[in-house]
Amino acid sequence: MKPVRPDSVILPGSIIGVLGSGQLGRMFAIAARRMGYRVHTYSPDRDSPTGQIADVEIDAPYEDLDRVRQFAAAVDVVTFEFENVPAATAAAAAEHALVRPAGNVLHVTQHRLREKSWLRDNGFPVTRFEPIRGEEDIARVAPQFGPAILKTAGFGYDGKGQYRVNSAAETKSAWEAMGRQEAVLEAIVDFEAELSVVAVRDPRGVCVFYEPSCNHHVGGILDVCYAPQPFGADVAKAAREIARGILEALDVTGVMCVEFFLTRNRQLLVNELAPRPHNSGHLTIDACVTSQFEQQLRSVCGLPLGSAEMFRPAAMANLLGDLWAGGEPDWAAACSVPEVKLHLYGKLAPRAGRKMGHITATAHTAAEAGQVVRAARARLTR
Ligand code: AMP
């Protein structure tokens, strides 16, 4: 381990190592390079979204711990853009460099059951859930649930590995379909809306919060989000306070997004934590003084955090690979809406459901920005 004191500042000119190489790393690398840092990225992929921007792209398995150690020894701090890197990979990196957020944050957030249990045990509001590890668990707990969702305990994101179930028999078939792996059975929330807060915390414990956003999902994947959310200042304040409590309890250094369900009686339930910039925070690039990616850089480097203030209400629409079904989308048509900003991630294969890019618009109100991004996206394939 290089002699870096945890309270020292990692200055421009230093090298940031990023575990993972997707679009989150790409937007981080753009922010880091703009501020004069160098970026090394590590993942099993080549010509990746992050690698196209980084100074160095290492294409090796996460399990190659010697290669991970070499990668970490060559950088000043390691962060990640993908929380499902194996714990052993983060531990090997930590032998040679600061890793921010630290391994405990990864440990809690990369496993749904561990995350939900940690939240509940630490007094944060969550949906009712039960672990499923065998047929006995299903027989015992499924009859206590009405409509529910069975989710894999590990490695789930964007609604992958999830089954809606209505009875013990359906729960059993779903559990068999997911290969009888450890799972969580969770009550379905009849929510009013889904909200999220991107929060950032520096090594001294200073926290900054973005305007909570309101998120619409289609098929378990974020489709459109907009901010500020329309449910008032009390909901925003409550969401920020829960987020603060979580970042403090986990001693996070870095960015973390807390996703919520807002129930019909205006109660917030934490759905998920992401220990990194989040899709719902992409609009901060075009609508805020400091983007979530620059905040990630500032926090992991120990620089003072920037302002999270929004210039204008904004909305973001994801561009999934499905948009390519009829050929290359009509980029000029979307750009002909002057408020629209186009972000593409440099991915070569536009598979259905794959996040290829997004568009953001700012407007006088969040609702108007939402209409603009939806209309601009529709123009892509007209
Ligand atoms: P997740 O991967 O757990 O964030 O789930 C993806 C999406 O599925 C969420 O954003 C919700 O739209 C939906 N979903 C997940 N869990 C629940 C639940 N308990 N009740 C209602 N909808 C849910």
Side-chain angles (χ1 to χ4, degrees):
M1 172 101 171
K2 287 184 284 300
V4 182
R5 292 193 7 228
D7 60 347
S8 64
V9 177
I10 297 162
L11 291 168
S14 305
I15 307 174
I16 319 291
V18 182
L19 289 168
S21 65
Q23 63 269 19
L24 301 176
R26 178 187 184 88
M27 290 180 270
F28 171 80
I30 291 170
R33 293 198 66 157
R34 202 189 58 212
M35 282 180 63
Y37 288 85
R38 293 179 175 274
V39 177
H40 293 190
T41 178
Y42 188 111
S43 83
D45 300 317
R46 192 173 296 174
D47 192 24
S48 62
T50 310
Q52 291 166 10
I53 308 290
D55 297 84
V56 173
E57 178 179 52
I58 295 164
D59 137 36
Y62 290 123
E63 293 72 23
D64 185 346
L65 298 185
D66 286 336
R67 199 79 182 82
V68 171
R69 288 186 186 99
Q70 253 177 40
F71 158 77
V75 305
D76 295 292
V77 60
V78 171
T79 188
F80 43 85
E81 63 101 55
F82 168 67
E83 64 269 34
N84 290 331
V85 294
T89 306
E95 292 169 20
H96 295 275
L98 280 175
V99 176
R100 286 175 163 166
N104 69 303
V105 180
L106 264 187
H107 181 74
V108 168
T109 56
Q110 69 183 189
H111 188 269
R112 208 189 287 279
L113 184 53
R114 210 149 47 216
E115 179 176 290
K116 284 190 180 295
S117 307
W118 181 90
L119 286 164
R120 186 183 56 192
D121 297 348
N122 284 275
F124 298 105
V126 287
T127 322
R128 180 170 166 232
F129 70 92
E130 290 287 345
I132 301 292
R133 299 193 177 93
E135 283 183 37
E136 334 63 76
D137 290 335
I138 297 176
R140 187 172 48 81
V141 304
Q144 304 164 17
F145 282 76
I149 304 193
L150 188 70
K151 302 179 176 180
T152 51
F155 292 84
Y157 63 96
D158 284 348
K160 293 196 170 81
Q162 302 196 3
Y163 298 79
R164 291 210 170 210
V165 292
N166 289 298
S167 64
E170 281 182 30
T171 308
K172 185 159 176 277
S173 338
W175 186 63
E176 271 158 10
M178 62 170 61
R180 302 169 75 90
Q181 55 178 305
E182 190 179 27
V184 182
L185 187 63
E186 191 180 303
I188 287 193
V189 182
D190 175 27
F191 54 76
E192 169 103 36
E194 293 189 71
L195 307 181
S196 59
V197 179
V198 174
V200 53
R201 187 166 177 269
D202 79 5
R204 293 162 291 276
V206 174
C207 288
V208 166
F209 303 90
Y210 287 91
E211 278 292 342
S213 66
C214 185
N215 308 328
H216 292 282
H217 293 79
V218 173
I221 302 179
L222 184 63
D223 182 47
V224 170
C225 74
Y226 57 92
Q229 52 77 34
F231 301 99
D234 287 351
V235 167
K237 182 162 177 258
R240 287 200 189 98
E241 285 314 308
I242 293 171
R244 179 191 295 282
I246 292 171
L247 269 77
E248 285 177 353
L250 280 171
D251 194 18
V252 172
T253 295
V255 169
M256 174 171 271
C257 178
V258 182
E259 293 182 70
F260 297 95
F261 297 124
L262 180 68
T263 65
R264 298 206 181 269
N265 58 4
R266 298 288 159 95
Q267 192 200 354
L268 286 165
L269 299 173
V270 179
N271 175 33
E272 239 181 356
L273 306 178
R276 49 160 172 80
H278 189 257
N279 199 165
S280 63
H282 290 359
L283 53 74
T284 63
I285 297 176
D286 300 306
C288 295
V289 176
T290 313
S291 77
Q292 61 170 350
F293 300 101
E294 184 178 328
Q295 300 282 33
Q296 179 183 21
L297 175 75
R298 287 177 179 236
S299 57
V300 304
C301 290
L303 285 173
L305 302 180
S307 162
E309 190 187 337
M310 281 193 100
F311 296 125
R312 291 185 92 199
M316 185 252 17
N318 270 334
L319 307 179
L320 300 185
D322 313 60
L323 286 171
W324 275 249
E328 189 72 13
D330 185 351
W331 303 120
C335 291
S336 70
V337 183
E339 296 78 20
V340 162
K341 309 292 280 184
L342 175 65
H343 299 253
L344 290 172
Y345 307 147
K347 296 182 184 177
L348 300 177
R351 290 190 294 277
R354 191 173 194 211
K355 292 176 180 169
M356 303 296 289
H358 70 268
I359 52 179
T360 307
T362 55
H364 294 296
T365 65
E368 189 186 327
Q371 284 161 9
V372 174
V373 288
R374 285 179 194 277
R377 186 172 60 182
R379 287 183 179 213
L380 289 171
T381 50
R382 211 169 268 157

